[in-house]
Amino acid sequence: MWGNLNSPKTGENLPTKKHQKNPQKLKPPSPSPVFSPLPSIFASPCLCSPLPRKLQAGRPARPASGIRGSEGPLRLGRAWARLAGAPKILVPWRTTLTRIGGQYGAGTESYFTLLRFLLGLNILGALFQGALTLLPLLLLGPIPGPPSQGVHQPCGPYDPLPQGLVDYPTLLINLLSGEGHLEWSPLFYGFYPAQLSGGTFRLPVAYLLSTFVSGLLCLLLILHRSVSGLKQTLLSESGALTSYSHRIFSAWDFGLRGAGPVELRRRALRYELQVELEEASERKRAEARTRAQWAGLWATRILLNLLVLAMLGAAFYGIYWAVDPNKVLQTPVLRLLVAYLPSIFISAANLLLPPVFGLITGLEGYPRSRQLQLLLLRTVFLRLASLVVLLASLWNEITCGGKPEAEACATCGYNSAERPCWETRVGQEMYKLLLFDLLTALAIPLLVQFPRKLLGTVCCGRLGRLLGTMEFQVPEEVLGLVYGQTLVWIGAFYCPLLAGLNAIKFLIIFYLKRFSLFFFCSPASRTFRASAANFFFPLVLLLGLAISAVPVLYGIFVIPPSKLCGPFRGQVTIWAAVPHAIQGLPRTARDFLFFLGTLSFAVPLMLVSSVLMVYTLTLASSYGRQVSKLKGHIKMESKSKVLLAQRIVALSGEERDL
Amino acid sequence: AEEDFSWFDLTEIELLRVKCLPHTLDVLRASSLYTPFHIQLSHKTQRARAHRRFIELLPPESRNVEDSLRVRVSTEQILTLPELKANPFRERICRVFSTAPERDSLSFEDFLDLFSVFSDAATPEIKSHYAFRIFDFDDDGTLNKEDLKCLVNCLTGDGQDTQLTSSEMKQLIENILEESDIDRDGTINLSEFQHVISRSPDFTSSFKIVL
């Protein structure tokens, strides 16, 4: 029926075509203008050269409707693709990630790619900061000795190093809370001197520069990642494509091999269909609600929101209270506990509250996708706001509640009695949070997942299955990553080696999560929209970056630097080091840089940027209008196709009756 | 002008429905409206690769070139290929491409047809035509409710607990017919199917098997 490879069928048919003149029979009884091409085609014997459709023997295959492309461009395209794919080999863990994606779904894979991306960011930041601050210190300058003890210093005695011999428990506590020997070490801000020997390398300027440049680099890389992901996602997820017909007819990937990926895809498809159908029926139910039911529903929602706010408030109050330094306790364990109290409160809030939120959103009567969005929003708020509360508490302590005339802050501009070196204190707090986060990540597989798995195998029946099945919760894990990264961005200015520590921590977490994924977790039943992974998570990362910029910039521009420690001692503000350094430059450079700060540069820049922005917006809106016009065209095309198809059906129906 | 009607392809089934004289049928077959949907793989290496895979499925005594072009391989043998082993539509694929009277074995030409339709060289019209035939479980030329039900069950899984409930299934099939059945006759014919497919850009990339 379909002919051979070297089909001589065309030859057979041509003679018949020549002496056929029949098709009057097929003429429709009442031709209308739309259908006039049709009879003519049936009428003419030489039916617009069948050659492109049929392949004659001996003829090279022309690019026609059946064949696409010819040999030359195909080979070139393949060579180019191979070349473009070469850098991808250098990226680590590629096979692991594809394996994870195949077995556990695209959402889990996106978590691990995000982790790898953040690891790269941290390594880059650590290298940058190390090269600009630590390396010059080690190569050039004098290693600063401990601050002079005993002498009466104007802004309170600063004595970080412990006196005499230190016993083992205290050493351990010092290691874990960044005090003692660790406090006066390159790990923290306080160690770095104001001047290096030689006088040519300005450490303060380099310190500031490294922070700004690594922040900018992070911003650019995250934007690049989110924009490229967004482009891909916007194309593939327009509304018309998520109809039922599309899912059933064209969504099955015939290239899937192996029982595992096939099973995974089937589960995902089933889940998607069930969610869609459930939402549709939910919407129908919502439309059928009476006024009394609506009133009851809204009352429930308001009550539950108040409950959520109350829980958040309680958590934040706890965190705020935990930062209070006025607790002097004797036993080392209690001291450690008190030192880690803010971390414990934050981690407890982040572990306990999201499941409660999950239960609450279930009661609010929203459709399922809306529920997930609300849950994510609340969890993001919890994570980032707990950090903000911690920082607010620290700020309160350091600047005496923002009142420079308060008695503790009057002499030095900051609370020198309790915090002679406040930058190191902030750095220590971030260091402790980082360590505790790592500890929590280590403890969860051991204390939660492993017993659950054990119980799952021991208990039989439904309870056992409920306990034993654990799935990798992608949103919560990603928010944990964002939280960890925000910590580092806040703390990197006050603790220069924090990025390096974070890189090591992320490396440990990668292998840990991979291990717990393969050992404990079952494949995901919930699908993950690509838009979430490509758009929402980088957005939250950017939000974290924005939030972390606030305390750093506030510390640089507003709070006076500590007079006894750090590279900025003796200056009015930390930023004052920069104009001071610019003064030392040659005249043209100095004038240019000062010009950049004046109004006569800022105003034209703003004008030009606004003009560009308006232009881009108008361009975007005109593209949008073009897109909707083209969509209208497609609809018209499909209408004419439909009419012709109906005509064919009618025609064949008439022919049957003939 | 012939390209304007590239979507307007009469298949064998529809052709046979057009009850007319035999010579008219030949005219229609010779016209550009009817395509045999047989594509040659334009690339020699792809053909050679297909031949190599086909020969591996043959018993050792007929693994030479002349025999390989004559002999037919049973469906069970074809289903041992890793590309097809886990595919939920594997039996339908073999049935559709088989030209044997009992539709249970494939010759080398059929095998070549199979992989050329699933390759990059095939156009969306050809792919959608064959997709329609694969999804038409009772081979009657249209997708009725039973076909759609089998299709959905293939997609979600065969076990008892992996299927949709009957109310969900009913709702789903109604929604599909609502969206795709243009002439409201309760079934989806080829043109309606191709119309739905033409709107999804990733059909071509998902209806692909690489040897």
Side-chain angles (χ1 to χ4, degrees):
Chain A
M1 195 197 307
W2 306 119
N4 295 338
L5 288 176
N6 302 316
S7 129
K9 209 167 183 202
T10 39
E12 284 168 28
N13 276 335
L14 281 169
T16 33
K17 266 196 332 229
K18 277 199 193 126
H19 56 76
Q20 284 320 315
K21 251 188 229 188
N22 47 305
Q24 270 66 17
K25 282 209 178 123
L26 297 171
K27 224 181 213 162
S30 53
S32 45
V34 184
F35 307 121
S36 47
L38 215 57
S40 63
I41 286 202
F42 277 95
S44 77
C46 172
L47 297 163
C48 39
S49 78
L51 278 178
R53 291 297 178 99
K54 296 195 200 290
L55 299 164
Q56 276 188 336
R59 250 218 186 193
R62 268 178 36 199
S65 52
I67 307 292
R68 195 181 285 139
S70 54
E71 226 173 283
L74 214 72
R75 263 209 209 124
L76 193 67
R78 242 181 251 142
W80 179 247
R82 224 177 294 147
L83 198 67
K88 290 204 188 120
I89 303 175
L90 298 170
V91 174
W93 299 315
R94 224 165 20 110
T95 38
T96 309
L97 289 181
T98 25
R99 199 172 129 210
I100 290 177
Q103 269 184 284
Y104 291 95
T108 317
E109 192 187 344
S110 71
Y111 167 80
F112 282 93
T113 23
L114 188 69
L115 183 53
R116 187 177 61 181
F117 171 72
L118 286 177
L119 185 65
L121 269 187
N122 278 297
I123 290 177
L124 209 66
L127 281 174
F128 227 83
Q129 275 189 305
L132 281 178
T133 53
L134 188 61
L135 213 58
L137 181 66
L138 292 175
L139 290 177
L140 294 175
I143 308 287
S148 41
Q149 303 127 319
V151 177
H152 175 71
Q153 290 141 336
C155 279
Y158 181 51
D159 232 348
L161 291 174
Q163 313 297 340
L165 276 178
V166 175
D167 59 340
Y168 189 66
T170 321
L171 202 66
L172 195 65
I173 293 174
N174 285 343
L175 184 72
L176 288 176
S177 54
E179 287 165 4
H181 287 285
L182 219 55
E183 190 166 340
W184 194 256
S185 72
L187 184 63
F188 290 112
Y189 165 100
F191 180 73
Y192 293 86
Q195 271 167 341
L196 293 176
S197 62
T200 45
F201 191 85
R202 292 177 187 273
L203 191 61
V205 177
Y207 198 93
L208 270 175
L209 204 69
S210 70
T211 312
F212 285 143
V213 170
S214 58
L216 201 68
L217 212 65
C218 287
L219 178 69
L220 289 174
L221 286 172
I222 296 174
L223 276 177
H224 168 79
R225 186 189 165 85
S226 59
V227 162
S228 56
L230 194 65
K231 266 193 252 180
Q232 219 178 12
T233 320
L234 282 177
L235 276 178
S236 61
E237 281 198 9
S238 61
L241 301 181
T242 49
S243 66
Y244 294 104
S245 323
H246 170 252
R247 271 209 202 95
I248 297 296
F249 290 141
S250 49
W252 182 262
D253 185 1
F254 278 75
L256 279 179
R257 289 193 206 186
V262 165
E263 198 49 50
L264 194 68
R265 187 62 70 96
R266 275 175 155 173
R267 286 172 75 148
L269 203 62
R270 186 171 68 244
Y271 178 80
E272 257 184 46
L273 286 172
Q274 282 174 333
V275 163
E276 280 275 335
L277 290 167
E278 192 187 311
E279 276 188 26
S281 65
E282 179 70 44
R283 246 174 287 159
K284 273 200 209 119
R285 235 184 308 155
E287 280 164 24
R289 277 202 196 112
T290 62
R291 292 192 92 168
Q293 284 173 327
W294 271 119
L297 192 67
W298 274 106
T300 326
R301 281 181 190 168
I302 291 174
L303 211 66
L304 290 171
N305 272 307
L306 285 176
L307 188 66
V308 165
L309 284 173
M311 283 196 288
L312 285 173
F316 293 157
Y317 182 72
I319 296 168
Y320 194 87
W321 171 84
V323 187
D324 187 352
N326 292 328
K327 300 182 193 60
V328 181
L329 293 156
Q330 294 314 310
T331 55
V333 177
L334 274 178
R335 280 221 313 268
L336 193 64
L337 200 69
V338 162
Y340 269 88
L341 212 55
S343 329
I344 295 175
F345 267 73
I346 290 183
S347 295
N350 286 332
L351 280 175
L352 296 174
L353 284 183
V356 179
F357 288 164
L359 286 171
I360 288 181
T361 42
L363 294 171
E364 280 181 327
Y366 286 115
R368 223 198 276 200
S369 55
R370 204 57 194 288
Q371 277 180 24
L372 287 172
Q373 282 171 357
L374 265 180
L375 185 62
L376 269 177
L377 223 65
R378 284 179 178 149
T379 319
V380 166
F381 182 70
L382 173 68
R383 287 256 183 192
L384 294 177
S386 52
L387 269 181
V388 169
V389 166
L390 178 77
L391 289 169
S393 174
L394 275 175
W395 169 82
N396 188 34
E397 183 195 323
I398 291 169
T399 58
C400 316
K403 292 193 284 284
E405 62 275 1
E407 48 162 304
C409 302
T411 40
C412 304
Y414 57 92
N415 196 345
S416 53
E418 288 172 9
R419 294 287 155 230
C421 191
W422 61 268
E423 295 97 341
T424 306
R425 165 84 166 111
V426 177
Q428 279 172 337
E429 207 59 60
M430 295 300 133
Y431 171 78
K432 283 188 282 187
L433 281 175
L434 187 105
L435 278 186
F436 198 74
D437 198 37
L438 181 62
L439 206 69
T440 327
L442 283 169
I444 285 187
L446 205 60
L447 297 176
V448 175
Q449 290 182 325
F450 182 62
R452 268 185 75 169
K453 190 89 184 168
L454 222 57
L455 281 174
T457 48
V458 165
C459 306
C460 46
R462 211 183 139 85
L463 182 67
R465 246 183 303 148
L466 203 69
L467 281 177
T469 37
M470 283 171 282
E471 280 177 18
F472 193 82
Q473 303 291 339
V474 176
E476 284 84 7
E477 301 284 347
V478 170
L479 289 176
L481 280 184
V482 171
Y483 165 77
Q485 189 58 47
T486 312
L487 272 182
V488 171
W489 279 326
I490 296 175
F493 181 72
Y494 303 108
C495 173
L497 298 185
L498 202 67
L501 285 178
N502 199 35
I504 298 174
K505 172 189 162 202
F506 275 167
L507 201 65
I508 295 176
I509 284 189
F510 184 92
Y511 286 109
L512 194 70
K513 293 282 178 200
R514 192 184 74 155
F515 169 78
S516 72
L517 183 75
F518 284 131
F519 259 61
F520 299 132
C521 298
S522 47
S525 61
R526 224 167 65 167
T527 43
F528 227 86
R529 278 245 165 109
S531 61
N534 289 335
F535 179 66
F536 180 69
F537 294 141
L539 196 70
V540 180
L541 207 59
L542 279 175
L543 190 67
L545 185 61
I547 287 182
S548 68
V550 171
V552 175
L553 290 175
Y554 191 81
I556 290 177
F557 284 98
V558 179
I559 308 182
S562 310
K563 301 218 178 359
L564 298 175
C565 60
F568 299 99
R569 57 193 98 172
Q571 316 241 5
V572 180
T573 56
I574 294 179
W575 180 251
V578 173
H580 186 73
I582 294 181
Q583 293 288 356
L585 286 175
R587 195 195 155 82
T588 40
R590 183 177 39 177
D591 286 342
F592 177 69
L593 284 172
F594 276 136
F595 170 69
L596 285 182
T598 55
L599 266 177
S600 46
F601 175 74
V603 170
L605 185 71
M606 208 154 47
L607 284 174
V608 168
S609 328
S610 354
V611 165
L612 278 175
M613 202 156 53
V614 167
Y615 173 70
T616 319
L617 282 173
T618 32
L619 203 65
S621 81
S622 77
Y623 280 146
R625 255 178 291 142
Q626 209 174 19
V627 164
S628 42
K629 243 193 231 164
L630 287 172
K631 275 194 191 152
H633 275 209
I634 291 179
K635 276 207 192 102
M636 295 244 296
E637 289 284 312
S638 63
K639 267 200 195 137
S640 43
K641 259 205 233 180
V642 162
L643 282 169
L644 285 173
Q646 284 174 333
R647 200 63 199 132
I648 281 285
V649 171
L651 204 65
S652 49
E654 281 166 22
E655 284 307 309
R656 214 178 317 194
D657 306 330
L658 267 180
Chain B
E2 41 140 21
E3 284 309 301
D4 294 343
F5 293 94
S6 58
W7 52 266
F8 195 94
D9 292 317
L10 289 170
T11 62
E12 274 291 331
I13 300 163
E14 279 163 340
L15 201 65
L16 294 171
R17 275 206 200 150
V18 180
K19 214 171 193 176
C20 49
L21 299 171
H23 55 254
T24 323
L25 218 53
D26 289 328
V27 168
L28 280 177
R29 272 218 182 86
S31 74
S32 62
L33 291 172
Y34 170 68
T35 63
F37 291 126
H38 173 82
I39 319 139
Q40 259 187 10
L41 280 175
S42 61
H43 213 230
K44 285 207 187 77
T45 49
Q46 283 185 23
R47 200 161 33 208
R49 212 183 313 157
H51 194 240
R52 243 192 323 233
R53 297 301 293 276
F54 188 74
I55 278 191
E56 281 165 20
L57 296 168
L58 293 173
E61 60 269 9
S62 33
R63 277 190 190 172
N64 48 24
V65 180
E66 318 92 54
D67 279 342
S68 66
L69 293 175
R70 273 188 305 117
V71 161
R72 288 183 165 270
V73 173
S74 69
T75 310
E76 292 87 40
Q77 278 285 88
I78 299 280
L79 292 182
T80 58
L81 282 173
E83 289 88 353
L84 289 178
K85 200 160 32 165
N87 197 318
F89 298 102
R90 54 188 180 273
E91 277 122 21
R92 280 300 303 164
I93 293 175
C94 287
R95 239 188 109 76
V96 161
F97 284 96
S98 163
T99 51
E102 295 94 33
R103 303 287 203 101
D104 61 352
S105 55
L106 293 172
S107 68
F108 178 62
E109 279 174 29
D110 302 333
F111 189 76
L112 203 58
D113 267 346
L114 203 165
F115 280 104
S116 58
V117 166
F118 279 104
S119 73
D120 276 328
T123 54
E125 301 93 73
I126 292 165
K127 284 190 192 262
S128 57
H129 171 85
Y130 274 94
F132 183 78
R133 289 182 67 195
I134 289 172
F135 294 155
D136 188 9
F137 283 80
D138 50 8
D139 284 323
D140 65 350
T142 58
L143 299 180
N144 55 18
K145 286 192 181 156
E146 281 306 313
D147 290 327
L148 290 175
K149 189 153 168 223
C150 290
L151 177 59
V152 173
N153 282 334
C154 258
L155 287 175
T156 57
D158 298 319
Q160 265 299 92
D161 52 342
T162 55
Q163 290 182 348
L164 297 179
T165 65
S166 55
S167 58
E168 283 172 346
M169 181 71 79
K170 189 159 155 299
Q171 183 65 35
L172 181 61
I173 291 179
E174 269 175 34
N175 289 343
I176 295 174
L177 286 175
E178 168 98 31
E179 284 168 2
S180 330
D181 189 10
I182 299 166
D183 54 6
R184 302 276 172 256
D185 63 351
T187 62
I188 300 177
N189 59 23
L190 179 65
S191 329
E192 290 161 351
F193 182 78
Q194 284 180 325
H195 178 219
V196 170
I197 292 295
S198 66
R199 277 186 305 183
S200 47
D202 54 351
F203 172 71
T204 323
S205 52
S206 58
F207 199 77
K208 185 158 73 169
I209 298 179
V210 177
L211 262 184

